[in-house]
Amino acid sequence: MAMQAASSASDVEAPIGIYAPERSLLVASVLSMSGGFLDAFTWLSLGGVFANSQTGNVVFVGVYAMSGQWQQAAHHLLPMVAFLLGASIAIRIQAPLRCLVGEIVCLAAAMLLLHHVPDMVAILGISFGVALQSASFRQVERWKYLSTTVTGNMFRAIDQSVATSDRDAARGAGVMLLLSLMFLLGAALGSCATRWLGAWSLALPIASSMHVLWFCRRHRHRRDQG
């Protein structure tokens, strides 16, 4: 299924406009929920490491490095390297749907190989795949956002709510708060699913990403036909 998705996304991708499906509130909400889910999953399943919230990994690298626990520091440093590599590739190729397929493949591989390969291999794969997606989907309607964290989105909500008082600013604040809540919901669902399903809980963010891929391709097809 992932290979079929890769084939369909391999077409030349058109420039993304403000109202393109990639920038819809639905897509941003689903990806934010998936971001929270994956952070909860990796924290609970893979030795207290974050796959996409690199702020937490930076903190742990500093803490462990200062106490001379170099192996633990490396445990948090390597996902950061994988994330930076994935983000740099996504920014260079500027192909959101191809990068989304890449994330699906990485998550599927991690789900099937988890506990059959060293945990660090799975962590690196998830971090790389998440970076491909998060670096490709960074705008919802006319506002910038991040699907892998909530701090920036919360600040943007505050900026929109206090800087101006027009209706557009109020919508921007609401959108940012909604994405923060979707991240929280994803983290809660990820916690429950990980405890119940283990590695197979990754099927949920995989299904979410496939839904986003289908949604974007469907709307692009309608636009091209129109």
Side-chain angles (χ1 to χ4, degrees):
M1 185 176 295
M3 293 302 295
Q4 292 174 350
S7 176
S8 64
S10 63
D11 302 330
V12 176
E13 296 186 20
I16 301 176
I18 292 178
Y19 298 105
E22 290 87 348
R23 294 179 176 176
S24 69
L25 181 56
L26 173 63
V27 166
S29 297
V30 171
L31 294 180
S32 295
M33 184 169 64
S34 178
F37 188 106
L38 289 170
D39 259 348
F41 173 83
T42 52
W43 178 263
L44 294 172
S45 297
L46 298 171
V49 176
F50 293 110
N52 48 4
S53 183
Q54 299 306 317
T55 302
N57 288 330
V58 169
V59 171
F60 282 117
V61 167
V63 170
Y64 288 125
M66 289 302 295
S67 61
Q69 301 179 62
W70 302 112
Q71 184 174 358
Q72 290 296 327
H75 194 62
H76 292 274
L77 178 62
L78 292 177
M80 294 165 53
V81 174
F83 190 92
L84 289 172
L85 178 60
S88 64
I89 291 174
I91 292 171
R92 181 179 296 275
I93 68 175
Q94 292 290 306
L97 299 190
R98 296 178 188 174
C99 289
L100 189 60
V101 171
E103 182 198 34
I104 292 170
V105 171
C106 288
L107 294 181
M111 180 178 67
L112 296 174
L113 297 177
L114 191 64
H115 306 316
H116 297 287
V117 297
D119 285 353
M120 182 52 65
V121 174
I123 294 169
L124 296 179
I126 294 173
S127 294
F128 179 82
V130 168
L132 288 175
Q133 174 264 111
S134 61
S136 300
F137 293 81
R138 291 187 290 172
Q139 185 162 337
V140 52
E141 297 179 6
R142 64 182 72 249
W143 301 283
K144 297 292 185 181
Y145 83 105
L146 289 172
S147 64
T148 57
T149 185
V150 296
T151 305
N153 296 338
M154 292 171 68
F155 273 119
R156 292 183 182 95
I158 295 172
D159 285 339
Q160 292 293 321
S161 62
V162 303
T164 57
S165 59
D166 60 17
R167 183 175 299 178
D168 186 68
R171 176 168 176 79
V175 166
M176 291 300 120
L177 288 175
L178 174 61
L179 297 184
S180 298
L181 290 174
M182 293 302 292
F183 191 94
L184 172 62
L185 175 61
L189 293 175
S191 175
C192 294
T194 300
R195 290 188 173 95
W196 293 339
L197 302 174
W200 295 107
S201 61
L202 284 176
L204 298 178
I206 290 171
S208 298
S209 295
M210 293 186 71
H211 174 75
V212 169
L213 181 64
W214 169 82
F215 175 82
C216 293
R217 293 292 299 176
R218 179 168 175 258
H219 280 261
R220 283 192 177 191
H221 179 72
R222 284 183 175 180
R223 182 185 61 194
D224 293 341
Q225 292 297 317

